[in-house]
Amino acid sequence: MISRSFCLRIWTGWLGCFCLGAWAAQIPRTVPINDVEESVPPYSLPEVLTLRNGQRVTSAQQWPQRRAELVHLFEDHVYGRIPSGLPRQPGWVVETRRDALGGKAIRQRIQIPLTRGPHPILLDLLVYRPSQATKPVPIFLGLNFDGNHTVTPETDVPLARGWVANRPRSGVTNHVANEASRGTDAEAWPIARILERGYGLATAYYGDAEADFDGGWKQGLRGAVAPQGADHHFEPGDWGSIAAWSWALSRALDQLSLDPAIDGQKVALLGHSRLGKTALWAGARDPRFALVIANESGEGGAALARRFFGETTLRINTSFPHWFNGRFKDYNHRIADLPVDQHELAALIAPRPLYIASAEQDRWADPKGEYLGGWHASEVYRLLGKEGLPGPDLPAVNRSVGESVGYHIRSGPHALTEVDWEFYLKFADRHLR
Ligand code: GTR
């Protein structure tokens, strides 16, 4: 029996969370959530080192079998299966500037065709590398939220072509990119600092692959390759948009690996929020990513789904039904039956370095749940001879902990900031140098 005080605390927790952001207004009010730590009910996680047949995984040699099983479970029950036979085609350089950022950077714009035919879906990859580099550089790769023109104030980076989210602060109100939005996301992408530290940076707009709304697939990658096009009916196990974006990331990696000035063995994948979920799934599927960073990835990312705190499976499936596959909705009211939990997603990155980060005010993403995702994944890192996170307790604010699994909780709200990047650069120095 759930006690009355428990219900009350959940109710007040719900009220608190309700005020967290403008987006909350779109979420049905009948769906309960909790943001009171003491009200988190007990839960038990699926064991990452036990095969579905009950057999324990006790050696590194057995891990690939469990890994393959987990990838399939996440495909079938969460993110959906990517159709086989999608093209992997090289892109073409549209422009090279050797004098970018006051001569500090060589900047290239590259178009990568994600589909076949005369009018393919194009991913515009914007690549910066330090002009002083004398050998192939390690590089960070990440999708951006509002278009390549928002990550830099440079005026010769074209505006995003297709649908973009409305952003009142830059006057984007009709889903069309405008000049006022140029450079508005530059704080999240400290390009000069990244180059100064000897890394390249590659980024692309996630909406190039598929617009982020329910039905966006019709003009996007999933619609373009569906047998019935926009009339296609998705089966429960078919891919959602996170899987589509993750596919685009792998094609960007193909492209970066072709460039002799870039070290294709040292591509660090980074994503924030929904794109942090995407980075984790891309890194889990594609072992060529050398390092993965999930910044405030929350529900459907690093945060444990069974921990009743902040966003829930029901909430995310209600607000963003297109992100995951149809079958994931079966777990809206019975999360304990989901055959996986998110620590197992984090474990799919092992033994490669993984960094999970939270923000103190980002309670919706459940910082403790994100940390625990990394902590429970650490069991696999240890099996594979690496050290993960140091223990089950959330560390102090603004301090980085962990070896092959790194973590920090930054003070402040939900965002990707220079403070986060400083931690990521140090982590990358440790593992990619
Ligand atoms: C929120 C969503 C989160 C997170 C975030 C974002 O509305 O509930 O899961 O993904 O959006 O991507 O900004």
Side-chain angles (χ1 to χ4, degrees):
M1 272 273 291
I2 296 178
S3 73
R4 222 186 114 170
S5 76
F6 176 73
C7 286
L8 266 178
R9 279 194 292 182
I10 289 188
W11 169 246
T12 38
W14 175 77
L15 273 182
C17 274
F18 188 74
C19 302
L20 279 178
W23 39 261
Q26 302 152 16
I27 296 169
R29 287 159 191 253
T30 47
V31 180
I33 57 169
N34 167 46
D35 87 335
V36 178
E37 187 56 38
E38 296 70 40
S39 302
V40 174
Y43 56 91
S44 74
L45 294 174
E47 283 178 28
V48 62
L49 289 179
T50 302
L51 285 153
R52 293 283 276 171
N53 65 12
Q55 202 190 328
R56 278 295 286 175
V57 172
T58 52
S59 71
Q61 289 69 33
Q62 288 170 286
W63 172 244
Q65 188 189 349
R66 175 61 174 153
R67 188 184 191 285
E69 188 176 80
L70 284 170
V71 169
H72 287 137
L73 289 170
F74 277 106
E75 280 175 349
D76 287 349
H77 298 269
V78 184
Y79 303 105
R81 202 170 286 273
I82 297 173
S84 55
L86 296 186
R88 297 157 192 245
Q89 308 165 119
W92 48 85
V93 178
V94 177
E95 184 206 43
T96 303
R97 284 200 70 145
R98 303 200 156 267
D99 58 350
L101 305 179
K104 286 194 202 120
I106 299 171
R107 190 191 76 199
Q108 287 195 306
R109 292 198 290 113
I110 300 171
Q111 291 194 317
I112 306 169
L114 298 179
T115 54
R116 295 193 178 90
H119 304 291
I121 293 201
L122 294 174
L123 185 76
D124 282 12
L125 192 65
L126 181 64
V127 185
Y128 296 86
R129 35 191 184 83
S131 43
Q132 301 304 325
T134 51
K135 54 182 191 343
V137 288
I139 191 163
F140 287 91
L141 166 66
L143 293 172
N144 64 70
F145 275 85
D146 294 298
N148 291 347
H149 69 285
T150 64
V151 309
T152 169
E154 293 162 289
T155 51
D156 57 345
V157 172
L159 297 178
R161 280 171 279 113
W163 181 99
V164 291
N166 286 338
R167 303 279 180 215
R169 68 179 170 146
S170 46
V172 178
T173 51
N174 52 0
H175 298 295
V176 178
N178 63 16
E179 278 299 331
S181 61
R182 185 173 294 286
T184 46
D185 211 17
E187 271 178 41
W189 301 93
I191 305 169
R193 178 75 181 139
I194 296 166
L195 298 182
E196 192 179 289
R197 294 282 293 261
Y199 295 88
L201 173 73
T203 184
Y205 171 47
Y206 78 139
D208 280 359
E210 190 164 307
D212 188 2
F213 62 90
D214 194 16
W217 64 272
K218 292 186 182 176
Q219 289 99 48
L221 176 56
R222 286 185 297 152
V225 300
Q228 278 86 38
D231 295 324
H232 186 74
H233 170 76
F234 285 105
E235 297 298 327
D238 286 347
W239 52 339
S241 50
I242 288 180
W245 299 323
S246 80
W247 175 262
L249 281 168
S250 287
R251 305 294 64 81
L253 174 57
D254 297 344
Q255 187 64 40
L256 294 173
S257 305
L258 294 175
D259 186 340
I262 289 169
D263 188 340
Q265 310 286 316
K266 293 186 176 169
V267 178
L269 178 58
L270 163 137
H272 168 59
S273 206
R274 65 199 69 185
L275 297 175
K277 311 178 207 298
T278 305
L280 282 170
W281 182 229
R285 283 183 26 253
D286 190 336
R288 296 174 304 159
F289 288 109
L291 183 157
V292 178
I293 300 165
N295 193 76
E296 298 158 31
S297 58
E299 186 75 16
L304 296 175
R306 280 165 174 76
R307 221 182 91 87
F308 183 43
F309 190 104
E311 191 168 28
T312 61
T313 305
L314 171 58
R315 277 294 183 106
I316 207 166
N317 277 331
T318 310
S319 312
F320 307 103
H322 54 294
W323 286 358
F324 304 91
N325 71 6
R327 190 167 294 121
F328 192 47
K329 279 88 190 161
D330 293 352
Y331 302 97
N332 280 350
H333 299 282
R334 48 181 194 99
I335 194 62
D337 294 336
L338 183 68
V340 287
D341 208 311
Q342 298 305 112
H343 62 303
E344 295 173 308
L345 177 68
L348 291 174
I349 309 300
R352 293 165 292 158
L354 163 68
Y355 202 106
I356 296 170
S358 310
E360 208 181 8
Q361 291 169 23
D362 186 21
R363 297 171 67 76
W364 186 239
D366 184 11
K368 186 160 182 198
E370 292 175 319
Y371 180 81
L372 289 173
W375 162 243
H376 291 292
S378 297
E379 203 181 332
V380 176
Y381 279 84
R382 285 193 297 274
L383 180 80
L384 302 180
K386 304 278 179 185
E387 273 303 309
L389 289 172
D393 299 323
L394 198 62
V397 174
N398 297 326
R399 218 186 109 226
S400 181
V401 296
E403 281 300 316
S404 290
V405 183
Y407 178 88
H408 72 258
I409 174 166
R410 173 181 48 72
S411 48
H414 184 66
L416 172 60
T417 71
E418 280 199 44
V419 174
D420 300 307
W421 271 102
E422 284 303 320
F423 287 121
Y424 301 150
L425 287 164
K426 275 199 199 111
F427 189 70
D429 283 351
R430 219 158 75 211
H431 293 283
L432 298 183
R433 294 284 184 190

